[in-house]
Amino acid sequence: MGFMKPRLIPVDAGTYRTLPRRDRLQVLTRHWVEHGFGSPAAVYLFYVVKCALYIGGAALVISPTPGLGPVTEVASWWSEPVVYQKLIVFTLLWEVTGLGCGSGPLSSRFLPPIGSALYWLRPGTVRLPPWPGRVPLTRGDRRTAADVLLYAAVLASGVWLLGRPGEAGPPGHAGLLDPVAAIPLIVTLAVLGLRDKTVFLAARGEQYGLSLLVFFFPYTDMFIGFQLIMLAIWWGAATSKLNHHFPFVVATMMSNAPLVPNRLKSLFYRDHPEDLRPSRLSFLLAHTGTATEYLVPLFLVLLGDGGPWTWAALLYMAVFHLHILSTLPMGVPLEWNLFFVFSLFFLFGAHGDLTVWQLHSPWLLAVILPSLVLLPLLGNLRPDLVSFLPAMRYYAGNWATSAWLFTGDALDRLEAGLTTSARPAHRQMATLYDADTALVLAAKAEGWRAMHSHGRALGGLVERVTDGQDAVTVLEGELIAGFALGWNFGEGHLHDDQLLRAVQARCAFAPGEVRVICLEGQPLHRQTQDYEIHDAALGLLESGHVAVRDMLTRQPWPTDGAAYPVYGVQVRRALPLPLDSTS
């Protein structure tokens, strides 16, 4: 591995092309154990620079606020209340422009390294309304000039809010932002979100948008509201890890961690290279992470008093988030973790004198609890209804996902039929490397998915649809969403049958040319995950569910000749096997 040269699988591209899918997955996943994506040093430098730009950019933008001071004297004003308000706005803008989560090479964005703004300022690109049949004026899937203006208004209102001075008076020397000034940003983001759920999710509306509403409460209640939002995110993340999937995530994530020596990475698996299920060490780390997100934040919120134990807890949680950041998890939520580290020392350190026991207004709870309690509860019980982001089911391995299957020239026609600001990931890589290297690098996304528990089930469903045919091109749904929508962050509902219908309206594929396997997340109260198989031309072909217990015993590649077990199968249309362009 060099500055630009990635670490590739030990099979040349010519041989790789001739391997059956089972053997390709075996090569990809065994190589993943010790090398992850095999990213070159330039990729890590890219993200280091991006994090530095986020930190430095926030300081440069916030420091001109009257009552603060020059950026060189940040130590004297970082704890001013208006600083945290403006950091929320700055981070929302950073995310919604595409500079945060879902950017760069580890999100399969190479040239250009972002999508988001490049797509959302362009009429004709695909938009996905969350409730087109229920909310007036939201039908359709094509971005209009009005959508572009709405998005521009979100950016403009955010920039305007960042430039506002604090209202004079306590607390602090710089005061607080006038909450009325946040109304344009709140309204434009909400209206745009009703027309395109992708933009709302990219803005992290469930966190930063909700925080904007807290601006309307008095100082003490406002900061208690910020603390409760942080607590809910930690607890939501911990609750989402109460499953069998998370140890698989830990092992997969540690394999991609650049600071972990390659010779140690096999310790996270039972018996590399034969058994790639997570080891006891992965289970231990998974349970430790879950306990951390439950217990330490609870202590900070209820018992934190600014004393030595409080600072010990703050340092522990800071190391916890910096560790997550250092592993470069998929979707690369690096700035999100930096925001958490700053929030720790700001809310529970510098302002540790404010506790939940000082809450005055019950209206604060009326505003934030539906988003902090009811939505996550619904999302855990009915993951098909709520995105994993507002459901606060974060990096726990229990996500909706999909695999897109193409025959013939369908993939080329997909690229030609959509209005986009970037080419598909494998074509972007071909501009940086030769065609053979680009082929192998693009395949690593499929290997990454197979390492997870649900990836075993998704792979089994692919075998069910293709009947072992290797001429079918299988692409990870995240790559399709990134190309078609301009943003992807592990949200499977952005590349399910809704996106397929939008694609079909533009490309008019024949039956059998494009099929999508959608695998839903696991509900909290069930040990199964629902799946659907869709054909671009014919619609829903089959639905059923898979059992979590079957995922836990399998390897990332098919290990026997038996079909992957499915249950409760309902055939809506005949599922012709093998897949072909005349079905």
Side-chain angles (χ1 to χ4, degrees):
M1 184 180 71
F3 184 72
M4 284 295 294
K5 184 179 179 181
R7 190 181 296 276
L8 301 177
I9 58 176
V11 176
D12 65 84
T15 302
Y16 180 82
R17 286 188 177 92
T18 65
L19 294 176
R21 187 168 182 274
R22 175 193 182 279
D23 293 346
R24 293 201 299 266
L25 281 174
Q26 194 172 67
V27 170
L28 291 169
T29 52
R30 285 175 170 172
H31 187 261
W32 180 278
V33 169
E34 294 186 345
H35 306 291
F37 270 108
S39 302
V43 168
Y44 304 130
L45 178 61
F46 170 86
Y47 286 109
V48 169
V49 171
K50 195 161 74 75
C51 287
L53 289 174
Y54 169 72
I55 297 170
L60 286 171
V61 169
I62 295 171
S63 63
T65 304
L68 297 184
V71 70
T72 55
E73 299 177 7
V74 64
S76 67
W77 54 259
W78 73 273
S79 60
E80 287 282 335
V82 74
V83 171
Y84 194 72
Q85 288 184 305
K86 288 202 171 185
L87 182 63
I88 290 170
V89 179
F90 178 85
T91 308
L92 187 154
L93 287 174
W94 185 270
E95 296 289 353
V96 82
T97 53
L99 296 171
C101 303
S103 63
L106 291 181
S107 291
S108 298
R109 298 197 176 283
F110 301 90
L111 294 173
I114 68 168
S116 302
L118 302 180
Y119 280 68
W120 303 333
L121 289 171
R122 183 174 183 175
T125 53
V126 178
R127 66 176 181 89
L128 297 179
W131 305 289
R134 298 179 182 178
V135 179
L137 305 178
T138 64
R139 289 183 182 273
D141 51 38
R142 192 177 301 273
R143 195 173 313 280
T144 67
D147 297 303
V148 171
L149 289 175
L150 269 174
Y151 178 66
V154 168
L155 301 182
S157 57
V159 170
W160 180 73
L161 184 56
L162 275 178
R164 299 284 296 173
E167 294 292 305
H173 299 291
L176 292 168
L177 289 175
D178 180 1
V180 175
I183 291 178
L185 179 56
I186 294 170
V187 171
T188 53
L189 181 61
V191 173
L192 182 57
L194 291 174
R195 287 190 57 84
D196 189 358
K197 61 186 178 184
T198 310
V199 181
F200 184 84
L201 294 176
R204 303 305 300 269
E206 86 285 353
Q207 180 178 350
Y208 306 125
L210 180 62
S211 296
L212 293 177
L213 296 179
V214 179
F215 285 11
F216 288 86
F217 290 88
Y219 165 70
T220 299
D221 286 351
M222 177 175 63
F223 272 76
I224 291 172
F226 293 150
Q227 291 177 348
L228 292 176
I229 290 173
M230 297 296 293
L231 175 66
I233 293 172
W234 277 311
W235 272 35
T239 301
S240 72
K241 295 178 175 66
L242 300 177
N243 58 47
H244 296 290
H245 307 284
F246 188 49
F248 289 80
V249 174
V250 170
T252 305
M253 187 168 64
M254 296 305 291
S255 285
N256 195 49
L259 300 183
V260 177
N262 290 343
R263 66 181 182 277
L264 299 181
K265 292 179 179 179
S266 61
L267 298 176
F268 298 100
Y269 302 88
R270 293 192 184 185
D271 185 22
H272 171 64
E274 300 303 325
D275 188 349
L276 301 192
R277 291 175 294 170
S279 67
R280 290 182 178 178
L281 177 59
S282 293
F283 277 85
L284 174 63
L285 292 176
H287 294 319
T288 300
T290 303
T292 292
E293 289 179 315
Y294 270 133
L295 299 179
V296 182
L298 183 64
F299 168 80
L300 289 172
V301 171
L302 296 183
L303 301 176
D305 57 3
W309 285 108
T310 298
W311 282 96
L314 290 175
L315 291 172
Y316 177 84
M317 287 301 294
V319 171
F320 177 79
H321 280 283
L322 290 174
H323 164 70
I324 296 173
L325 185 150
S326 73
T327 64
L328 294 178
M330 283 298 294
V332 282
L334 308 185
E335 295 87 349
W336 189 64
N337 279 282
L338 291 173
F339 180 86
F340 267 64
V341 172
F342 182 84
S343 297
L344 279 164
F345 292 106
F346 190 95
L347 297 176
F348 303 103
H351 296 273
D353 56 316
L354 299 176
T355 69
V356 293
W357 311 115
Q358 297 170 279
L359 178 66
H360 293 100
S361 174
W363 290 108
L364 173 68
L365 300 180
V367 169
I368 66 175
L369 287 187
S371 295
L372 300 185
V373 177
L374 298 183
L375 262 183
L377 178 61
L378 178 62
N380 276 283
L381 298 177
R382 288 290 307 273
D384 57 310
L385 297 180
V386 183
S387 161
F388 84 98
L389 291 173
M392 298 183 183
R393 295 185 297 110
Y394 297 116
Y395 211 75
N398 182 21
W399 319 292
T401 186
S402 73
W404 287 56
L405 285 62
F406 299 87
T407 61
D409 65 348
L411 184 55
D412 293 331
R413 287 161 51 207
L414 173 72
E415 181 181 1
L418 298 186
T419 299
T420 66
S421 295
R423 303 194 71 187
H426 65 286
R427 298 277 165 75
Q428 294 180 42
M429 282 185 278
T431 64
L432 297 172
Y433 302 102
D434 59 85
D436 287 346
T437 301
L439 167 73
V440 174
L441 286 176
K444 294 301 289 283
E446 189 177 3
W448 168 82
R449 180 66 72 185
M451 293 296 292
H452 295 83
S453 52
H454 61 261
R456 272 81 160 164
L458 193 63
L461 292 169
V462 168
E463 294 293 314
R464 177 176 177 81
V465 175
T466 62
D467 195 29
Q469 280 202 336
D470 295 312
V472 179
T473 300
V474 180
L475 282 186
E476 161 66 40
E478 286 292 297
L479 301 183
I480 301 297
F483 161 65
L485 303 175
W487 188 77
N488 58 289
F489 187 55
E491 175 48 79
H493 299 146
L494 296 181
H495 42 85
D496 58 7
D497 57 302
Q498 184 183 16
L499 179 59
L500 180 63
R501 289 192 295 272
V503 164
Q504 178 65 3
R506 291 158 173 80
C507 300
F509 293 112
E513 288 189 311
V514 178
R515 290 185 181 171
V516 178
I517 302 168
C518 302
L519 182 64
E520 188 52 75
Q522 177 195 345
L524 187 63
H525 60 296
R526 283 171 34 201
Q527 292 298 310
T528 59
Q529 293 182 235
D530 294 336
Y531 77 87
E532 293 181 346
I533 301 173
H534 296 265
D535 182 279
L538 302 176
L540 179 62
L541 300 177
E542 178 182 300
S543 62
H545 60 264
V546 292
V548 173
R549 65 174 181 271
D550 295 323
M551 308 175 197
L552 306 180
T553 59
R554 299 202 167 225
Q555 298 303 317
W557 56 83
T559 53
D560 53 52
Y564 192 88
V566 295
Y567 308 92
V569 176
Q570 296 185 25
V571 177
R572 309 299 177 92
R573 291 176 179 267
L575 181 63
L577 298 175
L579 181 72
D580 58 47
S581 58
T582 61
S583 56

